[in-house]
Structures are given as C-alpha cells and as structure tokens.
Amino acid sequence: MTKYNVAELLESDKFLQEVTVKGWVRTFRANRFIALNDGSTINNIQCVVDFENTDESILKRITTGAALAVTGTLAESLGKGQKVEIQVTKIEILGDSNPDEYPIQPKKHSFEFLRENAHLRIRTNTFSAVMRVRSALSFAVHKYFTENGFYNFHAPIITGSDAEGAGEMFTVTTIDPNNPPKDEHGNVDTSKDFFGKTTNLTVSGQLEAETYAMALGKVYTFGPTFRAENSNTTRHLAEFWMIEPEVAFNNLDDNMDLAEDFIKYVISYVLENCNDDLVFLDQRLLQEEKTKPANQRSEMSLLEKLHFVVDNNFKRVSYTEAIDILRNSKPNKKKKFQFVIQEWGADLQSEHERYLVEKHFKCPVILFDYPANIKAFYMRLNEDGKTVRAMDVLFPGIGEIVGGSQREERLDVLKQKVEELGIDEKELWWYMDTRKFGTAVHSGFGLGFERLVLFTTGMGNIRDVIPYPRTPQNAEF
Ligand code: 4AD
C-alpha cells in the first residue's frame, strides 16, 4: 500500500492499484460519494463508498470537515469532471466533525463571516486557492532574486530608528504601563526600558538594507513590517510583508527596470505554476463581477489582467506630466474627485492614481520625479532642486503597489535635508556613515506583498489575502 496526496492521485494512471489517501471531507452525497481534499490541490478526489458493506456507524461519521484515511482501488472514473476515483475498501475516521457545530458548510459564506472564522476559512476553495498562490508568489520572489545575484538580507524587526520619518510606529517595551520608571522630571525613563531606549517595530528594512548593499552589492529583504496608521481601507494592514531590494550603482532608470522585470517574473511564475487555482479564482471573480452594475464591471477577466501585465510595458510618466493630465481630466474639471488637483505639488490620492492607471493609460504606470516635500528624506534631489528621484508603481484596482527611489548618496545634501526636517542626525549616525565611507549611487524599492497577492488573485480586500489580518481594533487569532 502506498500513500499519495490528492494532487498526485488525480494525475495518476496507476489504475487498479491499492492506494491510501488522508484528507478532509468536503461533501458526502447519497451515502456513497465522498469529495475528499487534502490541500495539495483545489480539486477533490471522489471516493466511492460501498455503503452496503460499510458499517452504519462509520457512514454517520463521514460529515463535512471530518478527517479520514481512505484506502481503496484507484479506478478510472465514470463521473463527469474527473479522470480517477477511489473505490473504497476501508475508511478510518481520524477526526470527527460535528455537523451541528462546524461553521464551514458546503454553501456560499460571506467573506465577513469567514474573516470571523479565519482559522477555518482556509478550508474553503477560495482561501486555499489564495494561500497556495501566495505561497507560490513567495517562492518566486526568492527564486527571482537568487537567480539574479541578490543576497537575502534579514532586516531587524525591532528597530531604534523611524525609517520613513512617518511616526506611525508600534512601540516595543517591557515597561509596566501602570508602574513605569520615572526620571527626575517625572517623565517615563526610557533608559530603564529593555533596550535602554525607545524601540519600535520596523516600518521598513530599507535603511539597514542600504548598509548591506554598500558591501554585498545586491540585497533584498522580505519580511514583516508594521504601521500604526488608522487606515480602515481594503488596501491597508497594520502588519504586512514587504519585499525590498537595494542595489549599489543602480540609478532610478535601473530601479524602474528592476521593478518591472521582477513583477512580470513573479506573475509569470504563478501563471505557469498555479493554473488550477487561477482558473478557479478567475471564475470566482467573474461571478462576483456579475453582481455589479454593468458600468462598474471590469473589462478584463483575472487571467486576462495577469497576461496583460506580463505582456505589456509599464508606462513611465513624470509626476509633472501626471499632474497636467489630472488637472485637465473630466473628473477634476467637474470636481468629481474628492481631492481636486489645483496645482503642482499636490500629493496624489488613490483616486488620482487609479484614474491614471484605469481610465487614462489603461496599463500599469510608473510615476517618477515627485516633489521633494511630499517624499522621504533619503531620496536623491534632482538638479531642479525641487523634485526627487522617487518612483511609485501603480496598478489597476490596487493603486500603489511599489514605492522606491534612487537614494541621496551625497553626504552634504543628505545632512542638509535631515537638518531641514528636524531629524536628529545622531540617531542616524550609522546611516550617515555609508555616505562617508565609499558612498555610491544606489537605489531600491519596497513592494507590498499583500497588494501583489491581491492583484494576482483578484480578491477585493487585503484582509482576505493574509492568513490572520491585523487592522485597527482587530488582532484576533
Ligand atoms: O511606499 P512605502 O511606504 O515605501 C517604503 O517603505 C520604502 N522604505 C520602501 C523602499 O524603498 N525600500 O511602502 C512600500 C509599499 C507600498 O507601495 C505598498 O505596496 C506597501 O508597501 N504598503 C502597504 N501594504 C499594506 N498595508 C499598508 N499599510 C501598507 N503601506 C505600504
């Protein structure tokens, strides 16, 4: 007797052999047909029970969600939609599932309901497909960088610096809030805290990655990042995973090339390796789109969108050009935008980004050369003295998926910027050192992994593409 998983059996032509497979019951019809799934594929294997020769007590326990070991003969299936089935000779109930209590019944559940049961939602077709695609994307990320000469660098998760200067950080402390140590002025004495100073969860591994790029040349981090911003949207999480490559001697054009090549590679990888899951997700989206008014439906199916991204060049547009397009756009003139664009210098909102991508260019867009005062301190100042070498990659349905830049490598310019923004240079002494010793042009970007998964799976809410979402007022599980 040989053990197989469902994916192997469905591809197998070892007919008439005895096989054993373990999995969970999805459905049990007519006291005869078990649809068994073990997570190896979205597809179930049909197990045909000889109910006349099976104990009534066993039949009763074959309920949705129960764990079984099924032994039988692999046979060509006469049923529609499957090549093989198992003619069962033995069933072992490994774990019962009380049908009166099990929340995941074989019917359509709302995503809200499933979020409340995030520990069980992975047992549905949609979530198992999403999470298999997520896993494949994660593998493709490491594969791409490894094949292209990058080193994987593990940025620290607890940090003493605020990389983005945004201040939206979670503090890490062991101080008892009810009995904190105080200094002579009566303030909380953070020098008595675990690390002897205030520390936070990182918002980005970039600053540390820059120091490594200055020796290893090409590095990337892929780890969890944390933002305490109170954004209750379908695109924001308080804990998300970010992929951040950093490359010595790359300028902004090289950086844009890298981002485009990388995104196309990982999506191609999934198209080649996750066909069954993508076909399922494509159909799911199609059904969802049908519930929308005709003028709000997407023009492309999920698979068409993925192929479109892989097969077409991203449009590269300067911020200044984008502002001209937006200022002259219908929704701006008719004041349909919530934030009407008045003049150069305005920060672009998601509605503007989506207008550019979905209505104007109708393809992924890379915006570059943003006004210095709406971007982070580390971005390289252009000759015009008012724009920086920043780039954002904007995607249909998502908005910003990548944020990056060429970094300011000139010590004097960086020092001046830090001073202007009132950042304590002493806090960044180690970062400044990279500009003192062998400074060089370098660039990098951050790609929000969940936004990539959102796009690739066609899901509508970022909370449904991470196993256990952390959002304001929500850290269950
Ligand atoms: O544009 P951001 O803030 O860039 C940085 O953090 C840079 N330090 C990256 C770098 O140059 N190494 O964030 C990068 C990306 C965004 O484009 C978005 O995809 C994602 O991270 N992101 C979020 N994803 C989910 N939830 C949030 N709250 C996110 N904030 C940013």
Side-chain angles (χ1 to χ4, degrees):
M1 178 183 50
T2 318
K3 288 181 195 162
Y4 294 98
N5 69 27
V6 171
E8 287 163 344
L9 288 179
L10 291 177
E11 292 298 316
S12 171
D13 51 9
K14 294 192 170 72
F15 297 129
L16 305 179
Q17 286 199 12
E18 185 175 79
V19 295
T20 291
V21 62
K22 293 178 184 177
W24 294 271
V25 177
R26 282 293 171 86
T27 57
F28 184 37
R29 280 189 299 119
N31 248 0
R32 193 164 160 74
F33 302 107
I34 306 172
L36 198 74
N37 191 281
D38 67 354
S40 58
T41 156
I42 189 145
N43 301 309
N44 305 322
I45 190 153
Q46 172 155 288
C47 308
V48 185
V49 180
D50 176 7
F51 62 97
E52 281 166 359
N53 293 311
T54 307
D55 251 20
E56 183 74 15
S57 62
I58 293 279
L59 290 174
K60 270 196 190 142
R61 293 168 67 195
I62 306 174
T63 56
T64 298
L68 307 184
V70 173
T71 301
T73 312
L74 195 68
E76 212 160 341
S77 176
L78 302 174
K80 263 206 294 187
Q82 70 228 350
K83 202 172 80 178
V84 300
E85 63 186 25
I86 298 174
Q87 305 282 352
V88 179
T89 51
K90 187 178 154 208
I91 293 180
E92 194 186 338
I93 310 279
L94 302 175
D96 288 289
S97 174
N98 183 343
D100 297 332
E101 289 178 20
Y102 186 53
I104 311 293
Q105 290 302 319
K107 62 167 194 168
K108 200 167 162 37
H109 293 291
S110 74
F111 286 148
E112 289 78 17
F113 172 81
L114 291 172
R115 260 170 240 146
E116 287 163 15
N117 289 281
H119 61 307
L120 298 174
R121 68 178 178 172
I122 187 61
R123 299 175 183 210
T124 63
N125 281 338
T126 300
F127 284 89
S128 64
V130 167
M131 294 307 161
R132 273 188 297 267
V133 170
R134 183 182 165 108
S135 172
L137 277 171
S138 169
F139 175 70
V141 168
H142 292 294
K143 188 164 151 57
Y144 176 85
F145 286 121
T146 305
E147 284 174 358
N148 285 281
F150 284 72
Y151 295 105
N152 186 195
F153 154 73
H154 293 128
I157 290 170
I158 299 174
T159 163
S161 75
D162 175 358
E164 301 302 302
E168 292 157 336
M169 306 186 89
F170 291 100
T171 302
V172 177
T173 179
T174 53
I175 287 179
D176 176 357
N178 295 315
N179 187 23
K182 299 271 177 71
D183 61 18
E184 68 268 25
H185 306 294
N187 299 322
V188 176
D189 185 357
T190 50
S191 72
K192 301 260 165 37
D193 204 346
F194 188 90
F195 296 106
K197 62 188 282 199
T198 300
T199 49
N200 300 299
L201 292 178
T202 188
V203 296
S204 158
Q206 177 199 322
L207 301 194
E208 291 88 352
E210 281 187 54
T211 64
Y212 264 56
M214 286 296 123
L216 295 179
K218 295 186 192 183
V219 298
Y220 73 103
T221 76
F222 182 5
T225 49
F226 308 86
R227 301 210 177 165
E229 49 190 341
N230 201 4
S231 303
N232 255 313
T233 78
T234 53
R235 300 175 313 116
H236 288 90
L237 291 164
E239 175 183 290
F240 63 98
W241 289 66
M242 204 182 342
I243 298 146
E244 296 182 272
E246 194 67 38
V247 186
F249 315 115
N250 263 12
N251 64 21
L252 192 70
D253 287 326
D254 303 323
N255 207 30
M256 291 196 251
D257 292 344
L258 176 65
E260 184 168 343
D261 191 50
F262 166 65
I263 294 174
K264 286 179 171 170
Y265 177 93
V266 293
I267 293 179
S268 302
Y269 180 86
V270 168
L271 279 168
E272 278 163 30
N273 291 279
C274 300
N275 186 55
D276 288 354
D277 289 320
L278 288 182
V279 167
F280 173 83
L281 292 166
D282 186 76
Q283 288 304 310
R284 186 207 75 78
L285 189 60
L286 203 68
Q287 296 307 320
E288 191 181 272
E289 290 287 306
K290 280 187 191 157
T291 65
K292 294 183 186 166
N295 62 347
Q296 286 173 27
R297 286 184 204 152
S298 168
E299 285 166 21
M300 283 189 224
S301 75
L302 174 63
L303 286 168
E304 283 167 344
K305 263 197 276 187
L306 298 182
H307 281 291
F308 183 84
V309 165
V310 169
D311 295 339
N312 288 282
N313 290 336
F314 296 5
K315 181 85 189 159
R316 300 181 186 190
V317 187
S318 75
Y319 167 91
T320 303
E321 271 176 85
I323 285 289
D324 282 345
I325 293 167
L326 288 168
R327 248 199 314 223
N328 292 318
S329 70
K330 254 196 206 156
N332 205 60
K333 285 184 172 158
K334 293 192 167 169
K335 299 201 170 18
K336 287 269 161 63
F337 283 142
Q338 199 189 339
F339 298 90
V340 175
I341 300 278
Q342 309 278 14
E343 55 192 23
W344 191 94
D347 205 354
L348 299 186
Q349 306 295 325
S350 161
E351 56 181 346
H352 308 127
E353 295 173 345
R354 292 185 65 167
Y355 174 83
L356 290 170
V357 173
E358 288 160 32
K359 299 277 187 282
H360 190 84
F361 291 111
K362 296 187 191 292
C363 70
V365 171
I366 311 184
L367 285 189
F368 61 91
D369 283 353
Y370 281 75
N373 58 355
I374 58 169
K375 288 290 182 186
F377 75 93
Y378 48 70
M379 299 189 179
R380 193 181 198 282
L381 192 65
N382 278 314
E383 299 310 314
D384 61 14
K386 57 176 194 170
T387 58
V388 285
R389 302 245 76 191
M391 64 172 222
D392 282 359
V393 181
L394 312 178
F395 256 47
I398 306 285
E400 185 195 323
I401 193 163
V402 163
S405 61
Q406 183 176 325
R407 320 304 190 189
E408 184 55 79
E409 85 285 10
R410 297 163 297 185
L411 182 63
D412 52 336
V413 183
L414 188 63
K415 270 189 166 199
Q416 196 184 333
K417 189 65 191 264
V418 164
E419 198 184 311
E420 271 168 29
L421 293 177
I423 301 170
D424 186 358
E425 199 192 308
K426 282 197 243 88
E427 294 265 309
L428 286 174
W429 65 272
W430 51 274
Y431 185 72
M432 297 308 224
D433 266 4
T434 55
R435 275 64 174 174
K436 280 189 206 154
F437 310 121
T439 193
V441 164
H442 63 289
S443 300
F445 62 82
L447 179 141
F449 186 55
E450 283 72 22
R451 291 197 185 168
L452 176 68
V453 183
L454 203 54
F455 179 77
T456 312
T457 58
M459 296 294 280
N461 192 323
I462 200 161
R463 292 159 205 225
D464 297 332
V465 299
I466 187 164
Y468 295 106
R470 270 65 177 114
T471 51
Q473 299 298 309
N474 171 35
E476 190 66 47
F477 305 102

